[in-house]
Amino acid sequence: GARENEPLLRKILHPKEAFTLAEVLITLGIIGVAAAMTLPSLYRNIQYKNLETAFKKTYTRHSQALMSVKADMGVDNLYEEIVYYDKEKGIYPREAEFKNAYYNKLKIVGRCKYSKPIRNYNNTADAYVTAYTSNETDNSKPVIMALSDGTCCRVRVTSGQINIVADINGAGAKPNKIGHDIFVFNVNAKGMLEPAKTSKYYTEDELEDLYGEQYPYKAQAGNPCSINSKQGGNGMGCAWFAFQDVNPDNNEEGYWRNLPK
């Protein structure tokens, strides 16, 4: 009987050591500091991943809408039909037809309204992007359609181009910056949707020499997408980089994980 009780006696007489309250508090403090350091980074990564997913869904949806409109209009080359410009009348004769057909495919549910100005790619200026400035009604209040999936878009035929600008997470969701959640797409010469890409980078001096005070041209020149550009249109050429997941300023890095703050 005595031998059988020895383990029990040892547990009573020699209890296992435990953490003191101070040690527990110190450990919790260390965990808290570590969490405070890593959680913002984790949150940003999740946010950027959500933007990337939304970007891909938006591109797919608009590509499908474009092909559907082409079939409904019964044209071989959608681009050639829509960008034909009647010089005598000063209009694109089939622009309204195309826009109505396109918006119908996307299921418009209203209009998007922004409480604050949209910002450019690196947050250095209020954005100046083609499809958000127009002489259709009022330059300060462009018509931006709200779609059934919660996104926004605007279609425009101008300067021999079909421009489609999409807000991939809607007007009410941040960051509302071009190149982050607002992207420019074009219909190419084959009638296919393609992400807009930077054509040339300009220095501030070059912009001044070329355009002076002509802000619309100065803001959008070259379809910029760079951490270094202060143009209001900075971000207009970012869709191609976003599609390829390539940082426009460093091809060794990814696009979405390196968006400027």
Side-chain angles (χ1 to χ4, degrees):
R3 287 181 177 275
E4 294 176 357
N5 291 329
E6 280 182 7
L8 179 61
L9 290 171
R10 280 199 297 269
K11 289 181 180 180
I12 295 173
L13 297 174
H14 304 286
K16 290 184 178 179
E17 293 184 1
F19 292 111
T20 66
L21 178 59
E23 290 172 328
V24 171
L25 291 176
I26 291 171
T27 302
L28 290 175
I30 294 172
I31 293 173
V33 171
M37 294 174 64
T38 58
L39 283 178
S41 177
L42 290 173
Y43 174 76
R44 284 196 299 272
N45 288 337
I46 292 172
Q47 183 185 34
Y48 295 151
K49 189 64 180 177
N50 288 340
L51 288 176
E52 182 180 10
T53 300
F55 173 85
K56 292 177 180 178
K57 287 182 177 179
T58 297
Y59 176 78
T60 299
R61 186 179 187 192
H62 282 269
S63 295
Q64 292 172 344
L66 192 65
M67 292 300 97
S68 184
V69 168
K70 176 183 176 181
D72 288 351
M73 293 181 70
V75 298
D76 293 328
N77 190 311
L78 189 64
Y79 175 84
E80 291 180 356
E81 288 288 332
I82 306 306
V83 300
Y84 167 71
Y85 186 71
D86 188 326
K87 293 182 180 179
E88 292 185 2
K89 296 181 179 179
I91 61 171
Y92 294 94
R94 303 195 72 175
E95 177 182 11
E97 178 189 358
F98 169 72
K99 289 171 65 174
N100 289 335
Y102 194 84
Y103 284 141
N104 285 337
K105 292 295 179 184
L106 294 172
K107 298 180 181 178
I108 303 300
V109 295
R111 296 185 179 183
C112 287
K113 297 180 181 180
Y114 293 84
S115 58
K116 295 181 180 180
I118 296 164
R119 299 288 286 177
N120 67 352
Y121 175 66
N122 56 353
N123 201 30
T124 57
D126 287 347
Y128 197 102
V129 57
T130 300
Y132 285 88
T133 52
S134 167
N135 58 7
E136 291 178 72
T137 52
D138 178 355
N139 284 344
S140 64
K141 299 178 181 179
V143 179
I144 307 163
M145 299 302 181
L147 310 185
S148 59
D149 64 353
T151 65
C152 305
C153 87
R154 190 164 187 220
V155 180
R156 233 187 133 202
V157 181
T158 180
S159 302
Q161 289 187 323
I162 303 174
N163 299 128
I164 297 169
V165 173
D167 185 333
I168 63 176
N169 60 359
K174 294 180 179 180
N176 284 337
K177 299 176 186 176
I178 48 176
H180 292 240
D181 57 346
I182 297 172
F183 292 90
V184 181
F185 301 93
N186 298 314
V187 178
N188 64 22
K190 295 181 180 179
M192 306 292 289
L193 188 71
E194 65 178 13
K197 184 182 180 181
T198 299
S199 58
K200 178 178 174 59
Y201 287 109
Y202 290 92
T203 66
E204 290 296 313
D205 290 339
E206 288 174 331
L207 289 170
E208 191 66 31
D209 291 340
L210 287 170
Y211 302 105
E213 297 300 320
Q214 300 180 70
Y215 184 72
Y217 303 102
K218 188 175 180 179
Q220 300 173 354
N223 279 350
C225 179
S226 173
I227 190 70
N228 300 311
S229 173
K230 296 180 181 179
Q231 292 167 261
N234 187 19
M236 288 182 63
C238 284
W240 185 88
F241 295 100
F243 191 82
Q244 302 293 333
D245 195 19
V246 173
N247 185 335
D249 297 297
N250 184 349
N251 293 342
E252 299 297 321
E253 297 180 347
Y255 182 86
W256 296 98
R257 288 181 177 273
N258 294 281
L259 286 171
K261 295 180 180 179

